[in-house]
Amino acid sequence: MNILVTGGSGFIGSALCRLIARNSPHRVVNYDLLTYAANPLSTADLAGADNYVFVRGDIRDADALARVFARSRPDGVIHLAAESHVDRSIDGPRAFLDANVIGSYRLLQAAREYRDSGSAPENFRLVHVSTDEVFGSLGPEGKFSEATPYDPSSPYSASKAAADHLARAWRRTYGLPTIVTNCSNNYGPRQFPEKLVPLVILNAVEERPLPVYGDGMNVRDWLYVEDHARALLAVLESGRVGESYNIGGDGEMTNLELVRAVCAELDLRRPRRGGKRHAELIEFVRDRPGHDRRYAMDSRKIRRELGWAPRESFAAGIAKTVDWYLENGAWRAAIPAASYRARLGGAET
Ligand SMILES: NC(=O)c1ccc[n+]([C@@H]2O[C@H](COP(=O)([O-])OP(=O)(O)OC[C@H]3O[C@@H](n4cnc5c(N)ncnc54)[C@H](O)[C@@H]3O)[C@@H](O)[C@H]2O)c1
């Protein structure tokens, strides 16, 4: 297959491009605007591969999208390009509506025109990548299923919810073959350092405070990024058009437990002076407005239908992740300091 990936220079997109280029028989075109969230070093190792092409472009640009469809003639699209940081969406929601809603709309229209032009292969399909955050917040029990009603809390999750609805509407109204995926929190290498896991690692090694929102008891269902990438490729290859698939790791953990787990890894690798523990750097900060208490995914459908399951245990995945950030200072240095959001509050999950 020729696969067009949008947002392939970001955290999850770069893992997906690497999976396709290195471990699949397919070819991949990465279409990415290279916003502050992208790091060109995240795909630098793919530059010489004959089944990987990078095209710099904006999903809001209809002409550029028409060109990339015409040139790459994709069998499938996996759409990840988005503004993805909840805290930034609280400070400035407009950019999220532009990228996530209008951008997704333009991409759906471009895919529709490509399909209608007759140049798309017969089984052409588009996978729209979304989040568990569209479902809102859970109480202490239960999990989100594919049938859970949408109830987003933040401008970010509301913009993703809108895009999910567009993807479904384009299927029902125009017959565009779309599939929606909703995934839980990802962790792993190459995540923008405003996010909780890399922020904790990078702050801790510099002996800076580790900000944790509220009481630290918000629960997320953590999944290693490469497991998400495998799920997305499986959905593109074998998912049922018109369906949605929840993707999760059965890895429920409070933010505090997660931060402590990262600190414990750092204690082993980079012990602090005077026998202090990295966890002593934890500081509780004022909670995020509208902060959802708990997310947990019921991912039985994708496991049953597509035979997907996470391969990475949390213990092994977090150890690999900590090692990666400690060993890849050049990746971190390639992100201009000015592109960081002022870290006055808690860390982004
Ligand atoms: N990170 C998570 O835990 C998580 C979980 C579930 C779903 N998701 C979804 O997965 C997708 C990828 O998330 P991520 O964490 O890798 O995000 P990211 O912020 O690391 O990457 C986003 C990428 O999209 C690109 N982009 C942004 N606006 C663009 C535009 N207008 N045109 C073209 N490219 C543009 C950026 O340059 C960047 O490379 C998003 O759609 C997000 O909502 C993320």
Side-chain angles (χ1 to χ4, degrees):
M1 284 199 279
N2 285 329
I3 303 175
L4 176 62
V5 170
T6 71
S9 299
F11 167 49
I12 301 166
S14 61
L16 178 63
C17 287
R18 187 166 293 99
L19 171 71
I20 298 171
R22 294 254 178 88
N23 293 313
S24 89
H26 312 304
R27 286 181 294 274
V28 57
V29 175
N30 168 16
Y31 182 84
D32 195 301
L33 185 58
L34 299 182
T35 70
Y36 75 91
N39 188 330
L41 288 187
S42 293
T43 51
D45 55 322
L46 300 179
D50 57 10
N51 61 348
Y52 172 81
V53 174
F54 173 71
V55 177
R56 187 168 191 183
D58 191 334
I59 52 166
R60 295 164 300 180
D61 182 340
D63 294 338
L65 282 172
R67 283 195 298 276
V68 80
F69 271 97
R71 283 193 194 144
S72 60
R73 298 178 65 118
D75 298 273
V77 178
I78 306 181
H79 172 39
L80 298 103
E83 287 288 338
S84 73
H85 294 70
V86 178
D87 289 327
R88 287 184 186 241
S89 84
I90 294 169
D91 295 348
R94 174 62 197 256
F96 286 70
L97 301 184
D98 285 346
N100 300 359
V101 184
I102 299 300
S104 295
Y105 153 71
R106 294 248 160 79
L107 181 72
L108 289 165
Q109 286 291 81
R112 203 182 134 210
E113 282 157 22
Y114 169 63
R115 192 271 317 259
D116 291 347
S117 73
S119 44
E122 202 178 321
N123 58 355
F124 171 75
R125 53 204 10 226
L126 182 148
V127 176
H128 169 68
V129 179
S130 188
T131 163
D132 58 359
E133 303 191 26
V134 298
F135 298 123
S137 189
L138 287 165
E141 302 293 326
K143 294 187 173 193
F144 298 129
S145 79
E146 285 80 3
T148 302
Y150 275 35
D151 188 21
S153 302
S154 70
Y156 163 70
S157 53
S159 70
K160 292 296 293 184
D164 296 11
H165 291 320
L166 296 179
R168 287 196 188 92
W170 261 237
R171 153 94 179 128
R172 289 188 202 152
T173 305
Y174 305 113
L176 188 72
T178 63
I179 306 174
V180 175
T181 62
N182 298 91
C183 187
S184 61
N185 277 60
N186 287 210
Y187 70 97
R190 304 178 186 84
Q191 187 170 28
F192 192 72
E194 266 173 29
K195 295 277 190 158
L196 183 59
V197 170
L199 181 93
V200 166
I201 299 168
L202 298 170
N203 274 13
V205 295
E206 292 175 13
E207 298 273 322
R208 290 206 304 246
L210 310 180
V212 173
Y213 273 137
D215 60 3
M217 299 312 280
N218 300 67
V219 173
R220 302 291 181 260
D221 174 356
W222 293 92
L223 180 71
Y224 192 63
V225 64
E226 290 176 13
D227 283 325
H228 188 189
R230 284 193 305 103
L232 295 176
L233 188 56
V235 169
L236 181 73
E237 288 172 337
S238 324
R240 285 187 291 138
V241 163
E243 295 291 318
S244 68
Y245 292 91
N246 281 1
I247 305 166
D250 286 338
E252 276 187 64
M253 205 176 291
T254 65
N255 287 347
L256 194 54
E257 284 172 320
L258 176 81
V259 172
R260 287 197 172 131
V262 172
C263 287
E265 295 295 330
L266 288 167
D267 288 339
L268 292 174
R269 290 163 174 76
R270 298 265 178 107
R272 294 177 72 198
R273 280 197 218 100
K276 289 184 193 163
R277 304 246 165 233
H278 286 96
E280 291 168 45
L281 295 168
I282 292 172
E283 273 185 13
F284 294 96
V285 297
R286 192 157 61 88
D287 209 355
R288 166 197 283 168
H291 200 183
D292 289 333
R293 194 64 174 167
R294 179 171 165 260
Y295 303 139
M297 287 301 246
D298 175 346
S299 55
R300 282 177 298 178
K301 179 175 173 183
I302 186 171
R303 292 168 192 247
R304 188 178 62 242
E305 287 191 14
L306 306 183
W308 172 87
R311 286 188 188 154
E312 205 66 69
S313 69
F314 179 77
I318 203 70
K320 273 207 269 193
T321 302
V322 169
D323 283 338
W324 191 89
Y325 287 100
L326 294 180
E327 288 161 11
N328 287 275
W331 180 90
R332 154 75 182 73
I335 302 169
S339 71
Y340 281 79
R341 187 173 172 275
R343 295 253 41 97
L344 302 173
E348 172 79 40
T349 53

